[in-house]
Amino acid sequence: MTTAFVLGGGGVLGAVEVGMLRAVFEREITPDLVLGTSVGALNGAMVARDPSLAVIDRLTDLWAATAQAGSTEGADLFRERPLRTVRRVVATGGRNIYSSKPLQQRLIDEFGDLTFEDLPVRFGVCAASIERAAEHWFTSGPLVPAIVASAAVPGLLPPARATTEYGEEHFLDGGIVNSIPVGRAAALGATRIFVLQVGRIDRPLQVPRRPWEVARVSFEVARRHRFMRELAEIPDDVEVHVLPAAGTSPKDDTMLAFRDFNSVQRRIDATYAASRTYLDEHLAAG
């Protein structure tokens, strides 16, 4: 049996994946393959480096530190108030709201010069290549540039530069091309797949009422359509578990929800309980 963990994107909602990971590791389920997109690339890198229950404490500490920073005016990753920053970007003709330097430094502090080849578990990170208009998978070389590329949210963070087999390219958030790469896991030979997603696929979409909601809803239609299509195409002999995200709501889909770090521990705990219940029911039945 080849077990894959697929960790999807979702900004601050990625904290729920920590609860899911705790539930699966407590059942002594370990991955042979880890795939991550956007914030799932960060969580996935932590797991691929330490595929054991011990990683949960480290992940919880990281998310707790992010929550503490995000609740203050002096947050490391997002220092300025959003409306003030948007006005500055428009006035100066800029292309993005935030700098990627704080994120990059935090990743360097965590991973240093670690490479994919150093990891005990096979790991892949998805990003969107601008030049090739293509889905790109980082599977070798340094970890940090790959994670930064996968998490380069359009408009919020600048496109990331990285050198690949095609030369120097620019990348945007992997969620644009493959937010929950369950099909990739099956294509790479996984026979049992645990999908760690942030809960948006479970919520019905509403018709956009404001101009800035149009892009968000359009993106959600595209990402959910691909995930559901790939899920339906998984061979019958591949076991797939889509773990439930708890503690999230439609309010988390608003434009500024990514700044709400205050409920991180509540999300982790609620999703852990829901995932534990799911595993108790479905793995026992299976």
Side-chain angles (χ1 to χ4, degrees):
M1 177 178 292
T2 300
T3 298
F5 288 2
V6 173
L7 295 95
V12 69
L13 298 185
V16 303
E17 295 175 356
V18 180
M20 296 173 181
L21 288 166
R22 179 184 170 191
V24 294
F25 279 132
E26 284 184 349
R27 274 188 161 265
E28 299 183 347
I29 300 168
T30 57
D32 304 295
L33 169 68
V34 177
L35 301 176
T37 296
S38 196
V39 73
L42 170 58
N43 289 338
M46 298 287 288
V47 171
R49 183 180 63 178
D50 180 8
S52 72
L53 190 58
V55 76
I56 300 304
D57 287 341
R58 182 60 186 149
L59 275 167
T60 302
D61 289 344
L62 283 176
W63 278 98
T66 302
Q68 183 177 9
S71 63
T72 67
E73 184 69 19
D76 286 340
L77 297 184
F78 307 113
R79 293 182 182 278
E80 300 182 71
R81 292 182 179 179
L83 294 180
R84 182 176 64 194
T85 309
V86 169
R87 287 195 295 267
R88 173 180 56 77
V89 171
V90 172
T92 60
R95 295 172 297 172
N96 47 271
I97 295 177
Y98 300 113
S99 167
S100 60
K101 290 181 179 178
L103 171 62
Q104 186 173 20
Q105 187 57 56
R106 184 169 293 182
L107 292 171
I108 291 172
D109 293 342
E110 181 64 36
F111 296 108
D113 58 359
L114 199 68
T115 68
F116 285 84
E117 291 81 0
D118 296 327
L119 301 172
V121 175
R122 184 166 51 145
F123 181 46
V125 169
C126 180
S129 167
I130 294 177
E131 284 83 359
R132 289 181 290 117
E135 175 179 328
H136 179 80
W137 281 92
F138 291 91
T139 58
S140 63
L143 272 179
V144 170
I147 299 172
V148 172
S150 185
V153 181
L156 294 183
L157 296 173
R161 289 187 297 178
T163 301
T164 72
E165 63 269 32
Y166 303 98
E168 185 175 83
E169 296 186 83
H170 296 79
F171 294 93
L172 291 173
D173 193 300
I176 296 172
V177 288
N178 202 343
S179 186
I180 312 173
V182 63
R184 171 116 179 144
L188 291 175
T191 56
R192 181 173 63 166
I193 303 172
F194 291 89
V195 178
L196 289 74
Q197 50 82 34
V198 302
R200 289 194 176 111
I201 60 172
D202 302 325
R203 297 196 288 272
L205 287 171
Q206 303 295 325
V207 175
R209 294 177 297 174
R210 301 175 179 84
W212 57 83
E213 292 179 345
V214 174
R216 178 185 63 78
V217 172
S218 299
F219 173 72
E220 282 298 320
V221 170
R223 73 192 291 268
R224 296 183 194 192
H225 169 74
R226 173 159 187 174
F227 173 68
M228 292 303 182
R229 185 191 68 201
E230 289 192 352
L231 198 61
E233 293 173 350
I234 297 293
D236 292 339
D237 59 348
V238 176
E239 180 182 340
V240 180
H241 297 281
V242 181
L243 298 179
T248 64
S249 73
K251 294 181 180 178
D252 296 317
D253 296 333
T254 63
M255 185 174 63
L256 297 179
F258 72 95
R259 291 177 58 90
D260 178 18
F261 292 91
N262 296 319
S263 56
V264 163
Q265 190 61 54
R266 175 182 59 81
R267 297 184 200 278
I268 292 175
D269 293 342
T271 301
Y272 163 68
S275 295
R276 184 180 59 184
T277 299
Y278 171 93
L279 292 173
D280 287 344
E281 294 176 351
H282 289 78
L283 292 189

